[in-house]
């Protein structure tokens, strides 16, 4: 260590604990400000510009016309309601799948655990377009799943699982479930196996151990998985656009249309700001439900 490094170390150690925390957080706060606050500030300013048919927006103007469009247009209300319902449904399904998958990985040993975790991790290395193409290959009427079910005599005709709301939900699950699985497993991995064994010794069966021991311990991971799934699903764009029927429009799709097709930037920015506000409200609600110990409040 050089003399200057030693001086900086002594100076940092001499700071009060509060200022040491501020110094450590400063780089992260600066990064957040550059990559989030500055773009969001510009987006908010753009949402307050005057709408015009002669261009994207009236530069230097101030107006609430973008928010009036969001508040007064029935189509926006329908799309917003569909987006929220879509996000809630995907979140519920993703959390259920994540809890079951993470529990199976936690209970597994040896190469079984490695294989289950590798399946979740490797999925993160696959691009969204490839994932959605896989959804079409597996779930289309001439896809792998329908060919197996029809060939085995389980079905007499293929199921329609793509180009409809079901396809949009399945595709979005392909995107968010791996993140939810890792969030739940990260918490379950800290659970002492002896607690489950003690519950069995006291007479609890498998479902009771899962309900009374595993689920309470996994609640923080479930909360994180829910927040991640909801945030991704509120901003869903490729899944409903590419695997849905075209009528499953979300806020993100509408924002894209307003920006690129109608050149109505204030309305698009206003809808984006409202969507971000809903996501932030969900995040704050999730944090509020967490106590200092990291467990969900009852």
């Amino acid at each position: 260590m050089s003399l200057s490094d030693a001086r900086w170390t002594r100076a940092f150690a001499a700071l009060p604990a509060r200022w040491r925390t501020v110094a450590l957080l400063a780089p992260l706060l600066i990064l957040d400000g550059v990559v989030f606050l500055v773009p969001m500030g510009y987006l908010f300013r753009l949402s307050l510009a005057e709408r015009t048919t002669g261009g994207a927006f009236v530069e230097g103007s101030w107006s609430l016309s973008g928010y009036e469009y969001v508040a007064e247009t029935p189509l926006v209300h329908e799309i917003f309601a569909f987006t929220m319902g879509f996000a809630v449904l995907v979140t519920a399904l993703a959390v259920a799948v994540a809890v079951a998958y993470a529990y199976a990985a936690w209970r597994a040993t040896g190469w079984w655990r490695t294989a289950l975790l590798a399946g979740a991790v490797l999925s993160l290395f696959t691009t969204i377009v490839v994932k959605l193409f896989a959804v079409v290959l597996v779930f289309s009427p001439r896809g792998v799943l329908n060919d197996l079910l029809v060939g085995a005599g389980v079905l007499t005709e293929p199921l329609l699982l793509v180009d409809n709301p079901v396809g949009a939900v399945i595709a979005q699950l392909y995107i968010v479930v791996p993140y939810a699985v890792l969030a739940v497993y990260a918490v379950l991995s800290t659970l002492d196996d002896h607690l489950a064994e003690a519950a069995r010794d006291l007479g609890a069966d498998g479902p009771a151990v899962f309900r009374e021991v595993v689920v309470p311990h996994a609640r923080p991971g479930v909360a994180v998985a829910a927040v991640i799934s909801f945030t991704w699903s509120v901003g869903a764009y490729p899944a409903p656009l590419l695997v849905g029927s075209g009528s499953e429009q979300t806020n993100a799709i509408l924002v894209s249309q307003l920006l690129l097709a109608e050149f109505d930037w204030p309305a698009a920015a206003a809808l984006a700001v409202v969507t971000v506000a809903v996501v932030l409200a969900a995040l704050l609600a999730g944090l509020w439900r967490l106590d200092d110990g990291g467990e969900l409040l009852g």
Side-chain angles (χ1 to χ4, degrees):
M1 178 183 295
S2 64
L3 181 60
S4 60
D5 291 339
R7 289 174 179 175
W8 277 110
T9 302
R10 288 196 298 269
F12 181 80
L15 291 174
R18 177 182 301 177
W19 290 108
R20 288 201 300 268
T21 302
V22 172
L24 291 173
L25 291 177
L28 180 60
L29 295 176
I30 293 173
L31 179 63
D32 285 343
V34 171
V35 303
F36 180 75
L37 293 180
V38 172
M40 281 301 304
Y42 180 75
L43 182 68
F44 182 70
R45 172 64 184 91
L46 188 60
S47 71
L48 296 174
E50 179 68 36
R51 300 171 66 203
T52 176
T53 56
F57 62 98
V58 179
E59 295 188 12
S61 63
W62 293 88
S63 174
L64 294 175
S65 58
Y67 292 96
E68 292 174 357
Y69 169 83
V70 173
E72 298 174 358
T73 306
L75 178 61
V76 175
H77 302 165
E78 295 175 6
I79 293 176
F80 197 91
F82 172 80
T83 301
M84 294 300 107
F86 178 81
V88 171
L89 175 60
V90 170
T91 299
L93 294 176
V95 169
V97 173
V99 170
Y101 192 103
Y103 179 71
W106 177 70
R107 292 290 299 166
T109 57
W111 67 271
W112 275 107
R113 175 179 293 181
T114 302
L116 289 172
L117 293 178
V121 173
L122 291 177
S123 177
L124 302 180
F125 298 149
T126 307
T127 62
I128 292 179
V129 174
V130 173
K131 289 181 181 180
L132 299 184
F133 183 63
V135 172
V136 175
L137 289 178
V138 174
F139 294 98
S140 67
R142 298 298 300 273
V144 176
L145 178 62
N146 275 307
D147 285 348
L148 289 175
L149 294 177
V150 173
V154 178
L155 299 176
T156 57
E157 58 183 19
L159 294 174
L160 298 178
L161 299 176
V162 296
D163 295 330
N164 53 27
V166 175
V169 171
I170 293 174
Q172 189 64 23
L173 287 173
Y174 261 64
I175 296 173
V176 302
V177 163
Y179 298 95
V181 167
L182 295 179
V184 176
Y185 180 80
V187 177
L188 278 182
S189 63
T190 64
L191 177 60
D192 190 350
D193 293 342
H194 294 92
L195 294 177
E197 294 298 332
R200 293 188 183 92
D201 292 340
L202 293 174
D205 56 6
V209 172
F210 179 80
R211 184 177 61 254
E212 301 296 337
V213 177
V214 176
V215 172
H217 185 86
R219 283 176 179 174
V222 171
V224 173
V227 168
I228 293 174
S229 301
F230 182 79
T231 302
W232 273 79
S233 301
V234 166
Y237 180 82
L241 182 66
L242 299 179
V243 189
S245 65
S247 61
E248 292 80 34
Q249 291 198 28
T250 61
N251 289 355
I253 296 175
L254 180 57
V255 167
S256 176
Q257 292 176 349
L258 291 172
L259 279 173
L260 304 178
E262 301 181 21
F263 295 100
D264 193 346
W265 289 17
L271 179 57
V273 169
V274 173
T275 304
V276 171
V278 171
V279 172
L280 291 178
L283 290 174
L284 291 176
L287 292 175
W288 177 74
R289 293 288 294 174
L290 291 171
D291 64 8
D292 294 337
E295 294 184 354
L296 288 174
L297 297 173

